[in-house]
Amino acid sequence: MNSLLVLLVLLIALMLLVARQDGLRNLIGLALNFGAIFILITLIAWGFNAILVLTVLSAIILAIAIFMSADESEVTLIAFKTSLIVVLVLLGLAVLVQLVGQFQGFAAEDVDELENLSLAVGLNFSNVAIVVIVISMLGAVAESAMALTASLSEVVEQDEAMTLSQFINQRRIISQQILGTAVNTLFFGVLGSTVGLILWFVRLHYRWADIFNSKLLMAEVAAMLVGMLGILFSIWLAGYFVQKNFEKSL
């Protein structure tokens, strides 16, 4: 606990030192989103419909993350609209992935920790698995949409004589750069969180069939792949909206 407190204090201090007022605003947004996640968990635990609660809280989380991070109204509106559309579309994909993969519940690796506990908690763990997939991709989707929208808007402001063909070329270059870094960030984040599990499989000589049928690992992989699709879709959609605005200004 002491180490976590030290890390938290360092984070707050560095954000205030580097970004000053913007850092304070981002810290407030982070605290609000933490509260939103807490409300989401509480409402699901109370028996509210998990998908409905997820839809409402996802919109709130995206709004806080995007509108608390920048002052430019046009950039934030495009990023929020893009993120909201992407999340709603991928919510349907997450439902389909869960129906096919059946990632809900506990795995065989959880037996030791759960053998003295009651599993009759009255929750639909299939819906909980969908919530986990969607929540895991919210940050990546919002970040990608915001990064592309802000970058393209800055390019347009710097070159008022830009033609449509030049804009399309800049959109392609920036999209490729953001896609590469965002996907790698998501991949290594999931890889880092599953290194212990992978070592468990290796040391216990799991067969490849057992690994690919591991509920714990495949749930992480499914969340990662849905997140990567979200990044790709948000980059394309944000670029489309910015291009439409640019064409209107010509």
Side-chain angles (χ1 to χ4, degrees), residues 37-165:
I37 294 294
F38 179 79
I39 293 172
L40 171 69
I41 295 172
T42 302
L43 291 177
I44 294 176
W46 285 352
F48 286 83
N49 184 284
I51 303 301
L52 179 60
V53 171
L54 173 65
T55 304
V56 175
L57 267 297
S58 294
I60 294 174
I61 291 171
L62 288 173
I64 294 172
I66 292 173
F67 290 108
M68 294 287 288
S69 63
D71 295 323
E72 298 184 29
S73 59
E74 184 177 355
V75 171
T76 52
L77 283 174
I78 292 177
F80 177 68
K81 178 170 63 174
T82 299
S83 301
L84 195 58
I85 293 173
V86 171
V87 169
L88 290 177
V89 170
L90 292 186
L91 175 59
L93 178 61
V95 173
L96 179 61
V97 168
Q98 169 57 25
L99 289 176
V100 175
Q102 294 295 308
F103 300 115
Q104 77 277 4
F106 302 98
E109 291 79 13
D110 298 317
V111 171
D112 290 340
E113 289 78 11
L114 297 172
E115 61 180 352
N116 295 322
L117 302 175
S118 173
L119 300 182
V121 293
L123 289 177
N124 185 335
F125 279 96
S126 180
N127 288 342
V128 172
I130 295 171
V131 170
V132 172
I133 293 174
V134 174
I135 290 296
S136 299
M137 71 178 179
L138 287 181
V141 169
E143 179 186 0
S144 301
M146 192 70 187
L148 184 71
T149 305
S151 299
L152 285 178
S153 299
E154 184 67 22
V155 168
V156 172
E157 289 180 4
Q158 294 296 326
D159 188 359
E160 296 180 356
M162 179 180 291
T163 63
L164 180 59
S165 60

